[in-house]
Amino acid sequence: MFGSTTQNDSIHSWLFTLAFLLFSHPSITYSYRSHIRLSRQSIDSCLTNLNVTYPGDSFFHSLSQTFNSRLSYTPAAIILPSSVRDVERLVTCGARLKLPVVSRSGGHSYAGYGLGGVDGALVADLSSLKQIVLSGDNVVVQTGNTLGEVATYLWDHGRRALPHGTCPKVGTGGHTSYGGYGPYSRMAGLLMDRVVSADVVLANGTSVTASQMSHPDLFWALKGAAPSYGIVTSWTYSTLTAPTITVSFFISLPRYTSGDTFATAFSKYQAFVHTAPRELAMAFAFGGDSKGIGAQLTGNYFGSKSKFINLVSGLVQDLNGSISHADEYSDWTKLLVANGGEQLVTTGPSPPNTFFAKSLVTFDLLDDTSLKRWGDYLVNTAIHADIGWFAQADLYGGAISSDFDASSSSFAHRDAFLVFQFYGSSKDNAPYPSDGMDVINKMLTSLSPNPTAAYPNYIDPTLTDSEWQSQYFGTNMARLREIKASYDPNNVFTFPQSIPVGNMADTRTPAQSMGTRTNSISGTGRDDVPLNPHLGKSSDICLPEATVTSLTAFPFCLDSFHPFKFDIVPM
């Protein structure tokens, strides 16, 4: 009850007046997607003397492009800080203006979360923070650096290395935060495992250094979910001596035209790698078209070519395959180029792609029934889809599970066996076809009808709250919420799939929990799959630059470490 009719009339009159002021005042405009969107003047008055670009400015369009062209967001403003002090100021302003604050390192988030994941976010584009300083074995890397820049610097300054991915334009921010993996990971762990400390700007605009000795709870949370807690301006890594001899290899497999033959081949692959030595990094990668499925085994071996041949010869024979090449490298940077398919330091962003992707983390051998059901779907249905697609199963384990305790970080999949990616893109970057998402979804569910774990650097905005919280963070979620409440109680750092505050179900505005994106199926303003609550950061990977038109190459690099080479066109 609201009281008498007179009281209700007064309330209605007051609400009407408030609504009139909100809609008509020149400095305030209402937006459902970003709650109250402030005018440029209001934001600019808080961001004085910072390098800021707004919608309509000449550089805004290029700075606000998503890596995934299927999605599109319009930030309230994009700031390019040139110092840590600039980052502190923009965070303070975002908190004061009650705008969601996000950071963008390399800009490869599958879901566009580096631009907010909703309209109206305040974006810190960290691309100008480029300092790298090596002191002894430790290197301080500002998060505007890409993996290619870091690898080049470390090699040139003492033949050092880190266990990161090989897509050179991926940023160090999200790659480190969410479990970035690469060719050296089975020997030396995930990139986050080499982090000694992190300099991070908190929600109150102050900077702290988090480590095992200082802010240990925050340090734990940053290694697994950093963008929910602050803006990491630099990571300090403990580097390693670069490998002296590494083999880069491709093993060609037959074309598969039945679900049975494909399932049998994959079963043999997983059985072999289940007991493989940590010196072997291998993936089963494949794509398909109406002619069938073309597949390969690809990766690296840390040792001589002769030892590699001796290790895999039985598997190659059993799969009726052939070793396309197995090349030794003593120069670590040249190996990374060979794996990633492009030079480590180049200008300009990665070309965009229109795509949708899912992931799956498994912890033991998949049973024959699941593999047969999966193979039947791929051969009978997926190869006829109106999208280009690929899938890949990367081998984890080794140092990742053996050398680092599960409690050392908030990364939830320390004991992963295989990590799958299922990826579909439109041809020639055309609008995403109507059946595209369903094809990729069923590519996952035909293998695992009720998945329990997924990889957060292959961020999937279509997961429900309960799905992404359990699949990305598992039993770590409760502690992550508690730490969020301690360091960001007002939810300054928020985006779809960011860690919620404390035990509250959802503290975000309608805009933040709803989101908007370009509907590349119909060309209208909204996708038919709703966005979910919480943020991931820039993804680990650099994805397809274009539709595949060659019979021999799939021209992109992955979170893992290699371009594809198929016997058939996988589009």
Side-chain angles (χ1 to χ4, degrees):
M1 296 291 294
F2 287 99
S4 68
T5 302
T6 302
Q7 289 174 317
N8 285 337
D9 288 343
S10 298
I11 292 171
H12 293 159
S13 176
W14 177 81
L15 289 173
F16 179 83
T17 302
L18 177 61
F20 175 80
L21 290 172
L22 285 173
F23 279 96
S24 62
H25 194 281
S27 63
I28 302 178
T29 58
Y30 183 80
S31 168
Y32 177 75
R33 289 194 287 270
S34 60
H35 198 45
I36 293 178
R37 182 180 297 162
L38 303 176
S39 70
R40 172 172 178 161
Q41 180 181 4
S42 300
I43 300 173
D44 212 32
S45 64
C46 189
L47 298 172
T48 307
N49 297 324
L50 293 179
N51 185 0
V52 188
T53 182
Y54 296 93
D57 289 352
S58 57
F59 292 108
F60 184 85
H61 178 74
S62 60
L63 290 174
S64 62
Q65 293 301 293
T66 53
F67 177 56
N68 185 354
S69 299
R70 191 176 62 83
L71 309 174
S72 179
Y73 306 110
T74 303
I78 299 174
I79 302 95
L80 287 87
S82 59
S83 66
V84 173
R85 178 57 187 150
D86 286 352
V87 178
E88 293 172 343
R89 288 188 57 207
L90 74 86
V91 170
T92 300
C93 286
R96 182 183 306 163
L97 298 171
K98 301 188 184 303
L99 292 172
V101 177
V102 298
S103 58
R104 194 182 201 193
S105 178
H108 288 85
S109 171
Y110 278 19
Y113 290 161
L115 290 170
V118 293
D119 291 348
L122 201 64
V123 175
D125 184 321
L126 305 176
S127 57
S128 296
L129 299 182
K130 290 288 194 183
Q131 190 175 50
I132 306 177
V133 177
L134 180 66
S135 178
D137 292 343
N138 288 353
V139 62
V140 179
V141 178
Q142 287 192 314
T143 45
N145 285 288
T146 63
L147 300 183
E149 290 166 338
V150 173
T152 299
Y153 178 94
L154 291 178
W155 178 259
D156 290 344
H157 291 76
R159 303 300 190 258
R160 310 297 294 175
L162 287 168
H164 55 68
T166 60
C167 195
K169 292 182 179 179
V170 164
T172 52
H175 191 71
T176 306
S177 300
Y178 288 106
Y181 163 89
Y184 205 22
S185 288
R186 279 176 47 82
M187 293 285 287
L190 304 171
L191 182 56
M192 67 169 59
D193 295 327
R194 308 307 305 178
V195 173
V196 175
S197 64
D199 292 331
V200 56
V201 177
L202 302 177
N204 62 7
T206 64
S207 293
V208 300
T209 298
S211 67
Q212 289 183 341
M213 302 300 294
S214 177
H215 302 279
D217 277 356
L218 177 62
F219 186 57
W220 176 85
L222 294 178
K223 295 192 297 178
S228 293
Y229 298 90
I231 297 179
V232 175
T233 54
S234 66
W235 302 102
T236 298
Y237 304 101
S238 175
T239 66
L240 300 157
T241 301
T244 54
I245 300 177
T246 307
V247 176
S248 174
F249 66 85
F250 290 91
I251 299 171
S252 298
L253 301 179
R255 179 183 299 175
Y256 301 108
T257 57
S258 75
D260 282 340
T261 56
F262 175 84
T264 298
F266 192 90
S267 181
K268 291 178 179 179
Y269 160 73
Q270 68 167 359
F272 174 81
V273 297
H274 195 254
T275 58
R278 66 170 57 194
E279 288 81 7
L280 181 69
M282 181 181 278
F284 187 106
F286 62 94
D289 69 358
S290 59
K291 298 177 183 178
I293 294 174
Q296 66 180 25
L297 302 179
T298 179
N300 297 115
Y301 177 75
F302 291 87
S304 67
K305 179 177 178 178
S306 60
K307 289 183 177 180
F308 166 72
I309 299 296
N310 184 62
L311 175 66
V312 302
S313 59
L315 175 67
V316 174
Q317 183 177 5
D318 201 23
L319 291 173
N320 195 26
S322 62
I323 298 176
S324 301
H325 74 256
D327 301 324
E328 284 189 359
Y329 289 87
S330 58
D331 184 322
W332 177 245
T333 58
K334 290 182 179 179
L335 173 83
L336 296 178
V337 171
N339 286 334
E342 57 184 307
Q343 295 301 310
L344 296 184
V345 180
T346 57
T347 58
S350 298
N353 189 245
T354 304
F355 67 92
F356 175 65
K358 303 286 286 188
S359 67
L360 173 69
V361 178
T362 64
F363 301 94
D364 207 341
L365 296 170
L366 292 159
D367 63 84
D368 291 341
T369 300
S370 297
L371 292 177
K372 174 63 164 59
R373 184 176 59 240
W374 185 39
D376 286 344
Y377 174 75
L378 294 172
V379 172
N380 297 329
T381 303
I383 64 172
H384 303 294
D386 189 27
I387 55 172
W389 60 264
F390 75 84
Q392 174 163 324
D394 282 298
L395 174 62
Y396 273 51
I400 300 170
S401 56
S402 299
D403 295 2
F404 301 93
D405 192 88
S407 64
S408 64
S409 71
S410 54
F411 180 74
H413 307 319
R414 185 63 60 181
D415 55 345
F417 169 43
L418 297 176
V419 174
F420 291 76
Q421 178 175 203
F422 311 94
Y423 180 100
S425 62
S426 62
K427 299 176 182 180
D428 300 316
N429 265 349
Y432 204 71
S434 57
D435 68 339
M437 295 178 74
D438 187 55
V439 169
I440 298 301
N441 279 318
K442 290 180 179 177
M443 200 175 292
L444 165 63
T445 57
S446 63
L447 177 62
S448 179
N450 298 293
T452 60
Y455 180 49
N457 259 326
Y458 299 149
I459 198 80
D460 176 6
T462 68
L463 295 178
T464 66
D465 284 357
S466 61
E467 286 173 340
W468 69 256
Q469 290 181 20
S470 63
Q471 291 183 31
Y472 291 153
F473 300 107
T475 58
N476 292 331
M477 195 66 202
R479 185 181 176 191
L480 286 168
R481 284 174 174 264
E482 293 174 0
I483 298 170
K484 176 75 169 179
S486 296
Y487 284 92
D488 186 14
N490 295 318
N491 214 18
V492 172
F493 302 107
T494 183
F495 45 82
Q497 300 181 359
S498 61
I499 303 298
V501 176
N503 293 320
M504 300 176 66
D506 194 345
T507 61
R508 289 162 306 168
T509 66
Q512 294 165 329
S513 60
M514 192 69 188
T516 184
R517 48 186 165 182
T518 297
N519 183 351
S520 54
I521 295 175
S522 65
T524 57
R526 189 173 297 279
D527 207 298
D528 60 344
V529 180
L531 280 176
N532 325 299
H534 272 16
L535 165 73
K537 194 63 185 86
S538 295
S539 116
D540 306 349
I541 72 182
C542 175
L543 285 171
E545 299 183 359
T547 327
V548 175
T549 55
S550 165
L551 292 175
T552 59
F554 214 131
F556 53 90
C557 69
L558 297 165
D559 167 53
S560 49
F561 38 87
H562 35 259
F564 289 173
K565 297 185 187 299
F566 289 111
D567 294 327
I568 62 173
V569 182
M571 301 299 282

